Amino acid sequence: MKNLVRPPRLAPGARVAVVAPSGPIVEERLQAGLDLLRGWDLDPVAAPHVLDRDPALGYLAGTDADRAADLQAAWCDPAVDAVICARGGYGAQRVVDLLDWDAMRAAGPKVFVGFSDSTTLHEAFAVRLGLVTLYGPVAAGVDFVKSARAQDHLRATLFAPETVRTLTSGGTALAPGRARGVTLGGCLTLLSSGYGTPHARPGARGGLLLIEDIAEPPYSVDRALTQLLRTGWLDGVAGIALGSWKDCGPYDSLRPVFADRLGALGVPVVEELGFGHCEGALTVPLGVSAELDAAAGTLTLDEPALL
């Protein structure tokens, strides 16, 4: 697994497009998120269909075609420096095949931010564009709107990434050791369901895998990990960092699952690194070389996430 291309960092006045490739948006939260971005001296612009809701499938933020068009138009607009997802939910899998990846590659590197359902897009940006992306808070997300820690860490990553090269949140070692590799990952069930599709990596060999999820009971987490094990997707993974597992049951019921499914891999595993669906979530770069230290509970990037 190789390092991916790092896009340029943001500067005051940079234009940021907010898109909704997945679930529908609460307008009040979107406005609050846009106001926060303006407070950072950015120029946020909401995509035309960001507040849509599909008339038949109400769990989608508008039709597949419109959601794809918003994302592609934002990415291909030379005036846009970054694209931030408005929320997660579900729907990115229905969009990824509709995008013109040749046109998006020709548009050049820029910042992409999202998490949860956006895992599908992070994988596609890695495979199709070879680009470092940021797994972090979404513009209309509760955590982004209300958590100063989440805001501050994303802001530092966007404007001064050299100041946040070491990520830690008091995590502990499920399996000891240190490992080096290139970061990848996101939402566990999205990685599992994306296996074998043309916009996802065939495996995590040589990588530092960062995984988290929401509202999946222990047996479902077991099922997703077991699928990745059975397919060989986890063969050769260098190390694993576990993020948040909100509404997945008491963590004591998940720890035996992780020990059982991941312990036999013989690689360092860090628990509770502090990214994903949790209050004050850290922004984690995907596609950069780093060192995972299980004993210290840290992930240290070899270089800043953005140029």
Side-chain angles (χ1 to χ4, degrees), residues 195 202-205 225-237:
Y195 175 76
R205 182 174 297 276
L225 289 173
T226 299
Q227 169 153 342
L228 295 181
L229 287 166
R230 293 179 66 213
T231 59
W233 196 87
L234 286 172
D235 291 355
V237 67

Side-chain angles (χ1 to χ4, degrees), residues 14-306:
R15 175 161 289 187
V16 175
V18 177
V19 300
S22 302
I25 312 304
V26 177
E27 184 173 4
E28 292 78 8
R29 273 197 228 138
L30 175 63
Q31 293 305 323
L34 294 175
D35 286 343
L36 276 168
L37 294 172
R38 292 187 188 101
W40 296 357
D41 200 17
L42 293 172
D43 177 23
V45 179
H49 300 283
V50 75
L51 290 174
D52 285 4
R53 183 183 290 264
D54 187 279
L57 305 175
Y59 48 81
L60 299 174
T63 66
D64 294 346
D66 286 342
R67 299 196 323 280
D70 276 0
L71 174 54
Q72 183 166 318
W75 194 263
C76 293
D77 184 344
V80 169
D81 302 292
V83 174
I84 300 181
C85 295
R87 68 158 289 193
Y90 170 73
Q93 288 183 316
R94 299 171 58 110
V95 164
V96 68
D97 295 320
L98 303 180
L99 298 170
D100 184 341
W101 290 101
D102 290 335
M104 293 175 68
R105 186 180 304 107
K110 57 186 67 176
V111 175
F112 176 77
V113 185
F115 86 121
S116 193
D117 190 58
S118 302
T119 297
T120 298
L121 296 172
H122 285 287
E123 279 288 283
F125 275 94
V127 171
R128 296 301 182 191
L129 304 185
L131 190 65
V132 168
T133 54
L134 303 178
Y135 193 83
V138 288
V142 174
D143 194 46
F144 178 62
V145 171
K146 295 186 176 181
S147 171
R149 178 185 173 185
Q151 296 167 17
D152 291 346
H153 197 265
L154 175 59
R155 184 177 186 179
T157 305
L158 293 174
F159 288 96
E162 66 280 353
T163 66
V164 285
R165 281 180 51 193
T166 297
L167 286 74
T168 185
S169 187
T172 57
L174 182 70
R178 293 186 179 185
R180 298 190 56 80
V182 176
T183 58
L184 77 158
C187 192
L188 172 62
T189 50
L190 269 297
L191 292 170
S192 175
S193 61
Y195 175 76
T197 62
H199 303 295
R201 276 173 277 213
R205 182 174 297 276
L208 295 176
L209 178 62
L210 314 174
I211 50 174
E212 58 93 24
D213 220 314
I214 183 172
E216 299 290 345
Y219 77 84
S220 183
V221 173
D222 184 316
R223 179 171 57 203
L225 289 173
T226 299
Q227 169 153 342
L228 295 181
L229 287 166
R230 293 179 66 213
T231 59
W233 196 87
L234 286 172
D235 291 355
V237 67
I240 299 172
L242 306 175
S244 66
W245 303 91
K246 184 178 179 181
D247 299 331
C248 294
Y251 191 72
D252 285 347
S253 67
L254 286 169
R255 184 176 284 113
V257 176
F258 295 132
D260 178 81
R261 295 287 76 193
L262 302 177
L265 293 172
V267 301
V269 181
V270 175
E271 300 178 274
E272 300 180 286
L273 190 60
F275 63 93
H277 295 80
C278 56
E279 184 176 353
L282 301 174
T283 298
V284 182
L286 302 178
V288 296
S289 292
E291 180 178 78
L292 184 69
D293 186 332
T298 58
L299 178 73
T300 302
L301 311 178
D302 287 354
E303 55 189 2
L306 307 178

